[in-house]
Amino acid sequence: SSDLVEGPLAHHPLLTDPISAAAASVIQVGERRLLALSDGFLSLEQVRDFIGSPESPTGAYDALHEVHDEVRLPLGCFVVEGESTVMIDAGFGPVDAFDRGIMVGGNLLHQLALHGYQPAEIDVLALSHLHLDHVGWLARSDAEPVFPNATVYLGRPDWDYFVEGDEAELPLEPHIRAALIALAERDRVVLLDDDRQIAPGVTQLGAPGHTPGHSLYAIHDHNERALLLGDAMYCPQQLSNSDWAATSDVDATLARRTRERYLRDLEAHGGAAVGCHFPELRAGRVLGGAWRPQ
């Protein structure tokens, strides 16, 4: 029931919004089912220059505004069903960022329950990166893990930057950092250096730039593939405007190179693709340099 929705989102008008906080889709990859579920929303109304270029600072906002009156994006997480249950990214958690209504989470456990999943059933928690809206449900405020049986996978450079280092502009919350360190001490964190399969049908791919250890995840089965883009691209329009950067990109130049590399990959090899913040969490394909929703 919706009493699993926690924090400010529980009483927020966007709780039932299918574009953002209530976004959910099922992506079929061969015989494998991939669930895309949102933990909340990111509104670009107060931060219209969040994604763009020097020539077009509000580029993404303007493009999205042509489709949606109010520009709001989901906080996407993904569940890969199979021999082991893999969750990719962990939302923002039951909080309102800076109490400004720009980013509000809290829907993930409810969304999981709607699809028949309890937190204890998640075997692998793979993180695209360590920004706050991807690790929020990693632990409760007392640093107790929300997914008690999950082993956490992430790119080693993100560990070095966010956990070991102290220069991140968007640092980890202390309880999330403490939880990651405690999990690592119990051999429940795997740091990834090179592209590798982390579970049947799930391969991590290095995609640095947005953060130093940002990762994509490829889901594959029966010669079919879906690419989970993390925050390498915030919206489908970035596929045809690879010069648009997000203000949260740690290395905007490297992030653009990563976008262009995977755009070429999608052109050449096909397959569905979806980012954590694509409206409705709708996957699509790249055809002739343009995005086609599925």
Side-chain angles (χ1 to χ4, degrees):
S1 73
S2 60
D3 57 10
L4 283 170
V5 182
E6 297 184 33
L9 189 65
H11 309 289
H12 198 285
L14 285 179
L15 172 61
T16 56
D17 174 35
I19 294 162
S20 62
S25 67
V26 178
I27 301 159
Q28 197 70 34
V29 186
E31 301 284 304
R32 231 175 256 288
R33 254 175 36 125
L34 172 64
L35 302 175
L37 308 171
S38 177
D39 182 45
F41 69 87
L42 165 62
S43 169
L44 295 192
E45 292 300 325
Q46 297 177 54
V47 284
R48 296 183 180 192
D49 60 351
F50 180 55
I51 306 155
S53 64
E55 300 73 35
S56 179
T58 58
Y61 175 86
D62 297 338
L64 289 160
H65 187 59
E66 288 178 17
V67 188
H68 310 287
D69 289 341
E70 184 190 331
V71 179
R72 52 199 189 274
L73 305 176
L75 306 179
C77 310
F78 303 89
V79 177
V80 188
E81 301 181 339
E83 299 85 335
S84 55
T85 303
V86 179
M87 193 166 87
I88 295 163
D89 285 336
F92 188 43
V95 280
D96 175 351
F98 316 113
D99 297 320
R100 286 169 61 195
I102 292 174
M103 184 158 61
V104 182
N107 204 19
L108 179 59
L109 301 189
H110 173 228
Q111 289 262 46
L112 287 170
L114 284 178
H115 290 85
Y117 285 100
Q118 300 298 317
E121 293 174 277
I122 304 300
D123 302 306
V124 170
L125 177 53
L127 302 173
S128 63
H129 64 299
L130 293 183
H131 274 158
L132 302 175
D133 55 320
H134 298 263
V135 298
W137 284 104
L138 198 74
R140 294 289 182 180
S141 56
D142 60 1
E144 271 303 301
V146 172
F147 302 98
N149 301 315
T151 298
V152 177
Y153 288 76
L154 69 138
R156 185 183 300 275
D158 259 31
W159 179 276
D160 295 343
Y161 183 72
F162 288 96
V163 181
E164 302 285 352
D166 59 2
E167 291 176 20
E169 270 187 44
L170 299 169
L172 286 171
E173 292 287 349
H175 69 282
I176 298 293
R177 187 172 175 274
L180 280 168
I181 290 169
L183 286 165
E185 286 169 352
R186 287 156 45 199
D187 291 328
R188 296 262 302 280
V189 174
V190 179
L191 300 178
L192 302 162
D193 295 297
D194 301 302
D195 297 358
R196 61 178 272 197
Q197 184 162 316
I198 62 165
V202 183
T203 300
Q204 180 259 5
L205 304 169
H210 181 64
T211 64
H214 186 275
S215 300
L216 307 193
Y217 290 92
I219 315 305
H220 35 91
D221 191 60
H222 286 74
N223 294 320
E224 290 188 27
R225 183 187 74 160
L227 213 50
L228 303 182
L229 301 169
D231 282 2
M233 297 170 209
Y234 269 85
C235 58
Q237 290 84 351
Q238 265 180 298
L239 285 157
S240 43
N241 297 276
S242 63
D243 59 324
W244 289 356
T247 57
S248 54
D249 286 344
V250 174
D251 182 334
T253 305
L254 184 54
R256 178 177 181 170
R257 283 210 297 272
T258 286
R259 275 195 295 282
E260 290 170 343
R261 173 157 59 107
Y262 284 105
L263 179 56
R264 288 193 299 270
D265 182 278
L266 286 164
E267 286 267 32
H269 301 112
V274 62
C276 287
H277 304 291
F278 281 24
E280 301 175 78
L281 291 174
R282 277 187 79 180
R285 292 172 187 268
V286 179
L287 299 166
W291 175 255
R292 300 280 182 268
Q294 287 200 165

